[in-house]
Amino acid sequence: MKNIDSYTHTRGESIYLDDIPLVEGTLFGTVYGSPVAHGKILSLDVSEAAGMEGVVRVFTYKDIPGKNQIGGIVPDEPLLAEDEVHFNGMPVALVVATSTEIAQAAVKKIKLEVEQHTVVTDPRIAQKNGSLLVPPRTFKLGDSATAFSNCKYVFEGIAETNGQEHLYIETQGAYAIPAENNSIKVYSSTQGPTAVQRHMADVLGIPMHRLEIDVMRLGGGFGGKEDQATCWAIFCALATYHLKKPVKYCLHRMEDMRMTGKRNPYTSDFKIGLDADHKIIAYEATFYQNGGAAADLSPAVLERTLFHCTNSYFVPNVTATAYSCRTNLPPNTAFRGFGGPQGMFVIEAAIAKAAEELGITAAEIQQKNLLKNDDEFPYGQKAASEAGACWQKATTLYEIEKIKRDIAVFNASHTLHKKAVSFMPICFGISFTKILMNQARALVHVYMDGSISVSTGAVEMGQGVNTKMLQVAATMFSVSANRVKVNSTNTYRIANTSPSAASATADLNGKAVQIACEKIIERMKEVAAGMLQCETTVISIKDEKVFISNEPSSLTWNELVMASYLKRVSLSEHGHYATPGIYFDNTKEKGHPFAYHVYGTAITTVTVDCLRGTYEIDAVNLVHDFGTTMNPIVDKGQIEGGLVQGIGWMTMEEIVYDDEGRLRSNALSTYKVPDIYSVPKELSIHYLETKNDNLAIFRSKAVGEPPLMYGIGAYFALRNAIKAFNPDSNIGFSAPMTAEKVLLGLYSSKNAG
Ligand code: LUZ
Ligand code: MOS
């Protein structure tokens, strides 16, 4: 089945925030962000801006009727600055005008006088200063200190990953429309409608039930709209609250890049110990997360770094400590993988370092240490591992020996081009690490004409979740897909939603749909049994017909629906699902936090131009654990998109802040993302069909985030190619591997220092 949005997408008819027809009298907002990254506010002068023709009003923190606070995990983030500014771009004032152009012009007339304080952008310095967002966390298994003394080989190093701009095609934005009695309807481009509703209620000082947040779909989110869509919606609602007028604000791309947080950069220390057999016996890592100026989701991101610090490997002795460091950058936030990729990069670097020193390939160490069934993760959960199966299948299916031979032949006959290969096994835990967030609701109506409407807490952001929700309902009722419509995500229909995040949206909301459908079907079967004079237990509904003991009766879906209505039987149901069996003890840092894990292995080959430092990704051949996919096309799209996004993070996407905390890579001219010319020339995806996970919706495993981590393979393949050209290269472990870095690596030397 195709993505149900593909028809309107390709015709340009899909409705995004900026396509919603304007209500008469709509005004337009623009935020004034601090021009400096850190300091005490001495004065704020908005008078010239407020006096401009077409400017309706300029709002500051003084206009907030409730709390000036939007921090989700830690209450450390004001909506609008009061006495201090903590990052360049921090919202200070909101201009509302009759057009966006006027609002933007007025913002330029605002004057902010600031006594500047020291700007910190480096998380290690922040940690030394004791500037942490939350207390550090440590995950421990076995006894790494003792284990190291028994290791034949011990290697240490530093590994660093940079941030990543979400670059959703649709920038952040919202549109608020007044309703009666101080109620407000807000269209928001958010992954978390309830987060928007909750913080908006706090800021406005009104109950949540007066706030209807509606989300049709997003033009991409990638985590950037899990928490950071909230403030823009509140800005619109704040103005609407005061002015009783519709207010809209869609950010300009450069505003969005400047003012919103990105993937958390990390700098980390690692130490890895192996025995004579190259079994990893001990691993220690210290992660310094660049959290930015407020906690936002960084503490949760940090937690997932620890959960995934050993990636797809079993290590019996682990000590991993993570610091969430406060710096003067925009608060960094969720980004596809949510700290997992940052943790996994570090152990891959440790393995690469060990392999290099031992004169073997990383693959030899990787393969030897893959998770087996019942191996224990550092957080106590036991693995139901597909790691070996994915690796095995990948090496045989893609003929790794031939790949290696071809590379050897090529490299022997080329001096200025080198090819190399890498393996990237992945293991990703599915569930929100915060246990309480693993719940969802769905509202299903069967209308008297036999058509069905489905509402859930899931937000469609291009990932195809609505298609899956439709499939669940159509499958449960056994009706054709065109009988089902999936509605916008709306807080008046579905309350207390978890954000669409953690790859868990289809599982959680799909199960809720399933539960709602089951209850309606049960009631309809009773009606059918009465009509057909038989036991309810022998009734089934298949292909829009009623069956008795698997024999077709004359009763159709439409007739049964109408008969149920006439008998005053409810054809509506609200389903609630909470993932069973998961728990976590934060004091012990042990538990069973994940419903299941997703596994896979990618084999990446690259060619480096050793004169220029440029490169191509020749091929990515991967085996991915889909469970039993319920939609191979949608899932393939997730693999392709995730992989390329991961390659972008690891290779060309380079976020640059200067020492003053100013974003220099603030446009698409200075921030390069993968395009069609930089994707792998060849991409093969093999569907490993596994059947064990009944906590996945229809046993179709979550597929949103895991494939991003395959992109890490591109980094290590490029590194291997540099080493093939210059074994003495002193290239370290610092992503992204830009062409400049490749060139420097090609002509560097360990002895030169
Ligand atoms: N968001 C969140 C996430 O709030 N908790 C999580 O565990 C998570 N994991 C992945 C992506 N987003
Ligand atoms: Mo996410 S990083 O699943 O919003």
Side-chain angles (χ1 to χ4, degrees):
M1 183 178 173
K2 281 191 302 203
N3 186 320
I4 53 171
D5 279 346
S6 50
Y7 182 79
T8 52
H9 277 3
T10 48
R11 293 168 64 95
E13 291 172 358
S14 298
I15 308 275
Y16 295 87
L17 185 77
D18 212 16
D19 301 313
I20 296 169
L22 289 185
V23 174
E24 179 89 32
T26 293
L27 302 172
F28 300 87
T30 296
V31 160
Y32 169 74
S34 170
V36 297
H38 194 198
K40 184 168 159 12
I41 295 179
L42 299 176
S43 70
L44 171 66
D45 180 2
V46 301
S47 55
E48 192 183 345
M52 282 174 67
E53 192 176 326
V55 171
V56 178
R57 193 162 153 187
V58 181
F59 297 91
T60 67
Y61 76 92
K62 291 179 183 151
D63 299 298
I64 291 172
K67 291 190 213 114
N68 182 20
Q69 184 49 248
I70 57 165
I73 299 176
V74 181
D76 65 352
E77 191 176 0
L79 177 72
L80 287 163
E82 295 190 14
D83 310 322
E84 294 179 337
V85 288
H86 299 284
F87 65 92
N88 184 312
M90 179 173 177
V92 177
L94 167 71
V95 175
V96 176
T98 51
S99 78
T100 298
E101 290 70 24
I102 294 172
Q104 285 172 346
V107 153
K108 297 205 176 88
K109 304 289 182 194
I110 292 177
K111 292 175 202 78
L112 187 75
E113 220 190 320
V114 179
E115 175 194 303
Q116 296 212 24
H117 295 168
T118 313
V119 173
V120 175
T121 59
D122 180 336
R124 288 187 193 251
I125 292 174
Q127 192 266 349
K128 273 208 191 79
N129 295 343
S131 191
L132 299 180
L133 292 162
V134 288
R137 305 262 305 261
T138 297
F139 279 23
K140 234 175 136 69
L141 179 68
D143 176 357
S144 58
T146 309
F148 275 122
S149 55
N150 299 325
C151 286
K152 174 134 196 232
Y153 309 109
V154 178
F155 306 103
E156 293 180 68
I158 292 178
E160 302 191 310
T161 50
N162 201 345
Q164 186 175 24
E165 167 60 43
H166 298 87
L167 217 91
Y168 22 66
I169 297 288
E170 180 196 40
T171 56
Q172 303 272 7
Y175 186 17
I177 296 169
E180 58 182 33
N181 286 324
N182 272 338
S183 295
I184 304 174
K185 174 165 188 171
V186 184
Y187 297 99
S188 167
S189 180
T190 180
Q191 291 172 241
T194 295
V196 170
Q197 183 192 23
R198 181 160 71 93
H199 293 294
M200 193 178 287
D202 280 349
V203 170
L204 298 182
I206 62 176
M208 286 169 76
H209 69 205
R210 293 203 181 278
L211 299 169
E212 177 183 8
I213 315 300
D214 191 274
V215 188
M216 187 65 222
R217 62 167 63 74
L218 317 186
F222 310 115
K225 296 171 182 171
E226 181 175 340
D227 220 45
Q228 298 210 356
T230 301
C231 64
W232 319 108
I234 301 179
F235 286 131
C236 293
L238 176 67
T240 292
Y241 175 93
H242 285 290
L243 302 171
K244 311 284 180 234
K245 292 272 195 181
V247 177
K248 181 174 162 179
Y249 183 16
C250 294
L251 274 68
H252 185 281
R253 175 66 66 189
M254 284 173 83
E255 282 181 281
D256 189 308
M257 292 180 83
R258 174 180 170 222
M259 295 201 271
T260 66
K262 310 177 189 318
R263 181 188 291 284
N264 294 93
Y266 277 65
T267 170
S268 312
D269 301 323
F270 63 78
K271 182 172 173 186
I272 190 168
L274 301 89
D275 68 10
D277 229 10
H278 303 150
K279 274 271 198 197
I280 306 173
I281 303 300
Y283 180 62
E284 283 181 3
T286 308
F287 300 100
Y288 300 88
Q289 177 199 53
N290 195 333
D296 192 273
L297 289 164
S298 290
V301 171
L302 189 82
E303 182 171 67
R304 198 175 268 281
T305 301
L306 292 172
F307 280 118
H308 295 306
C309 71
T310 51
N311 188 14
S312 204
Y313 311 108
F314 172 63
V315 184
N317 300 285
V318 178
T319 307
T321 297
Y323 296 97
S324 191
C325 309
R326 188 191 295 274
T327 60
N328 297 113
L329 299 182
N332 287 314
T333 193
F335 196 135
R336 202 174 194 171
F338 205 72
Q342 291 96 318
M344 287 156 69
F345 180 83
V346 179
I347 192 158
E348 292 303 327
I351 289 172
K353 168 110 186 183
E356 213 166 283
E357 299 286 336
L358 294 170
I360 59 176
T361 64
E364 286 173 63
I365 300 176
Q366 289 172 310
Q367 184 179 12
K368 193 158 277 170
N369 292 281
L370 289 173
L371 280 161
K372 297 193 177 63
N373 278 334
D374 294 321
D375 279 346
E376 191 177 338
F377 290 99
Y379 46 92
Q381 188 163 341
K382 299 276 170 65
S385 181
E386 305 291 352
C390 291
W391 182 287
Q392 215 48 53
K393 186 77 200 176
T395 52
T396 51
L397 183 68
Y398 302 121
E399 303 183 74
I400 186 62
E401 291 311 321
K402 182 172 182 310
I403 292 176
K404 284 191 200 158
R405 263 199 320 276
D406 290 350
I407 289 174
V409 168
F410 180 93
N411 285 353
S413 58
H414 291 74
T415 42
L416 287 177
H417 284 85
K418 293 295 173 193
K419 284 185 185 290
V421 65
S422 76
F423 280 75
M424 184 61 203
I426 60 151
C427 167
F428 197 78
I430 304 302
S431 286
F432 287 95
T433 56
K434 211 167 220 32
I435 300 296
L436 76 90
M437 291 173 81
N438 295 286
Q439 54 170 316
R441 280 154 291 280
L443 181 64
V444 177
H445 298 309
V446 178
Y447 290 99
M448 64 175 95
D449 68 352
S451 67
I452 296 159
S453 108
V454 175
S455 301
T456 74
V459 169
E460 174 62 50
M461 44 189 151
Q463 85 281 43
V465 74
N466 280 358
T467 303
K468 289 187 175 178
M469 295 305 98
L470 185 149
Q471 282 183 282
V472 172
T475 305
M476 292 303 291
F477 287 120
S478 194
V479 298
S480 85
N482 58 24
R483 284 207 185 255
V484 186
K485 170 168 182 287
V486 181
N487 294 310
S488 67
T489 314
N490 184 298
T491 56
Y492 278 2
R493 278 193 299 273
I494 304 293
N496 309 328
T497 60
S498 291
S500 287
S503 307
T505 312
D507 281 358
L508 297 173
N509 292 279
K511 294 267 187 181
V513 172
Q514 205 175 5
I515 288 165
C517 293
E518 269 164 9
K519 291 189 193 163
I520 297 173
I521 293 164
E522 217 33 57
R523 292 196 288 265
M524 289 175 69
K525 280 184 184 171
E526 278 169 33
V527 173
M531 293 170 78
L532 299 168
Q533 311 235 310
C534 60
E535 294 291 319
T536 310
T537 50
V538 299
I539 298 279
S540 56
I541 301 169
K542 244 181 271 155
D543 300 334
E544 309 196 353
K545 283 196 193 62
V546 177
F547 287 69
I548 308 170
S549 304
N550 295 322
E551 291 298 318
S553 75
S554 63
L555 194 57
T556 65
W557 168 260
N558 273 9
E559 288 163 354
L560 179 57
V561 168
M562 185 52 87
S564 302
Y565 168 70
L566 294 174
K567 278 196 170 357
R568 300 189 292 170
V569 168
S570 168
L571 291 168
S572 297
E573 195 59 65
H574 184 253
H576 170 86
Y577 177 73
T579 313
I582 51 173
Y583 62 92
F584 196 70
D585 181 341
N586 271 75
T587 58
K588 297 197 180 88
E589 304 285 28
K590 298 281 179 194
H592 186 105
F594 296 120
Y596 57 89
H597 292 84
V598 171
Y599 296 85
T601 295
I603 300 174
T604 303
T605 54
V606 299
T607 306
V608 171
D609 178 331
C610 300
L611 202 53
R612 296 173 183 82
T614 53
Y615 50 77
E616 289 193 340
I617 314 294
D618 299 327
V620 176
N621 294 307
L622 63 89
V623 174
H624 184 84
D625 163 25
F626 287 87
T628 309
T629 177
M630 68 186 284
N631 194 317
I633 302 175
V634 164
D635 285 356
K636 186 179 178 214
Q638 287 297 295
I639 301 283
E640 291 172 345
L643 168 71
V644 171
Q645 198 165 34
I647 291 176
W649 173 51
M650 279 286 117
T651 61
M652 64 179 65
E653 295 185 41
E654 189 173 33
I655 289 183
V656 179
Y657 286 98
D658 63 20
D659 291 342
E660 295 303 308
R662 201 164 13 147
L663 181 67
R664 307 317 299 250
S665 51
N666 67 346
L668 289 172
S669 52
T670 46
Y671 186 76
K672 176 91 178 112
V673 291
D675 59 17
I676 194 67
Y677 300 104
S678 46
V679 301
K681 302 284 163 291
E682 238 184 87
L683 170 58
S684 317
I685 300 166
H686 178 80
Y687 291 61
L688 188 79
E689 294 253 341
T690 55
K691 297 198 165 40
N692 300 325
D693 285 288
N694 61 8
L695 291 179
I697 180 69
F698 292 168
R699 298 181 188 271
S700 181
K701 281 186 162 187
V703 73
E705 295 171 287
L708 183 128
M709 272 81 57
Y710 292 134
I712 296 172
Y715 180 93
F716 288 95
L718 289 169
R719 203 174 176 284
N720 289 342
I722 292 168
K723 289 277 176 179
F725 177 78
N726 173 12
D728 184 43
S729 168
N730 77 349
I731 183 124
F733 299 98
S734 167
M737 189 71 95
T738 58
E740 292 88 334
K741 227 179 257 173
V742 171
L743 194 60
L744 290 170
L746 286 165
Y747 298 97
S748 65
S749 156
K750 281 181 195 153
N751 300 323

